[in-house]
Amino acid sequence: MAKAFRTHSQAAATLIAVVKTIQKPPHKQPARFVEPIQCLAVAKLPEGPDWEYEIKFDGYRALGIKSAGRVRLVSRNGNDFSARFPCVARALSKLPDDTVVDGEIVALDETGKPSFNVLQNYNHSATPLQFYAFDLLHLAGKNLRDRPLDDRRELLRAKVMPRMQGEIRFSETVEATAVEIVAAVKKQGLEGVIAKRRDGLYEPAGARAPG
């Protein structure tokens, strides 16, 4: 497996620097729906220290939005998922106010693997649901979309995830080469891989490359 590209000390220093800039925003901006950035299908994953990899889950893309104390779970097309997946919406109630997280709603089959078929037929039964958060667009009234991906994810891990419980999970980066991760995903029968630029901004017109 490949070594991590950033040390813990580097990550901590970056987090401290970013937090200092958002502790007292000059004008608090209410959280709102933002068109999610989309994936771009490629034949070969990009490689190198500028890229990181995450598992592509077989679920529904959604934004968790909390503003004025109210939580909404919104699809990538702007449809409200809150009533359809109330357990996920409730779990996101611990978000800081005026915060937006990007993630994927996933249903698990009897083997514990993500299943799109199970998700499509979800009927508020005992089917376990999870929301994998992988990006942070807005935090406590501060727009983060113009910050590098690494900064946004470090804030997501440090400032948001400790408040989350149950259904809300952090989508971890897989520290491996492109060849290793593609082979592992195929072996386990998972949906795919997403490659993201570590310095990438959150630009809806932009795209990320899945495997």
Side-chain angles (χ1 to χ4, degrees):
M1 302 294 276
K3 295 182 179 179
F5 293 120
R6 306 183 76 191
T7 67
H8 291 298
S9 60
Q10 288 173 325
T14 300
L15 178 60
I16 291 172
V18 173
V19 168
K20 284 182 178 179
T21 68
I22 69 169
Q23 284 179 336
K24 295 181 180 180
H27 300 290
K28 189 175 181 180
Q29 303 173 17
R32 60 179 179 81
F33 174 79
V34 176
E35 181 187 354
I37 193 170
Q38 297 299 312
C39 295
L40 174 67
V42 295
K44 183 180 179 181
L45 285 177
E47 297 184 74
D50 293 333
W51 294 89
E52 64 184 31
Y53 307 124
E54 292 176 44
I55 298 298
K56 185 178 186 299
F57 298 103
D58 196 6
Y60 287 145
R61 180 79 171 275
L63 298 182
I65 305 170
K66 184 174 181 180
S67 185
R70 176 174 174 258
V71 174
R72 291 185 298 142
L73 190 62
V74 184
S75 77
R76 66 182 184 182
N77 297 317
N79 299 318
D80 198 322
F81 274 163
S82 305
R84 185 172 181 183
F85 304 110
C87 62
V88 176
R90 286 194 300 270
L92 290 168
S93 66
K94 297 296 184 180
L95 286 172
D97 205 24
D98 286 314
T99 293
V100 181
V101 295
D102 192 358
E104 191 96 356
I105 303 170
V106 176
L108 305 180
D109 63 17
E110 64 277 4
T111 69
K113 288 185 178 181
S115 170
F116 191 71
N117 182 59
V118 172
L119 185 62
Q120 283 185 311
N121 295 288
Y122 177 74
N123 60 358
H124 300 189
S125 65
T127 302
L129 289 183
Q130 294 175 348
F131 179 84
Y132 280 90
F134 47 69
D135 211 336
L136 183 61
L137 285 58
H138 213 80
L139 175 61
K142 178 68 176 180
N143 175 24
L144 303 178
R145 300 194 304 277
D146 59 352
R147 296 190 178 279
L149 173 65
D150 270 358
D151 290 357
R152 299 195 308 271
R153 282 179 55 81
E154 283 167 13
L155 285 168
L156 174 62
R157 183 193 291 274
K159 297 297 181 179
V160 174
M161 294 311 300
R163 306 166 67 111
M164 301 292 100
Q165 297 179 355
E167 293 87 352
I168 313 303
R169 307 293 177 87
F170 182 76
S171 178
E172 297 284 354
T173 298
V174 181
E175 299 294 349
T177 66
V179 172
E180 289 170 337
I181 192 171
V182 168
V185 163
K186 288 181 178 179
K187 182 177 181 180
Q188 296 181 39
L190 298 176
E191 175 72 4
V193 184
I194 297 180
K196 301 178 181 179
R197 285 193 63 91
R198 295 177 182 273
D199 61 354
L201 309 183
Y202 198 96
E203 299 172 321
R208 293 166 179 159

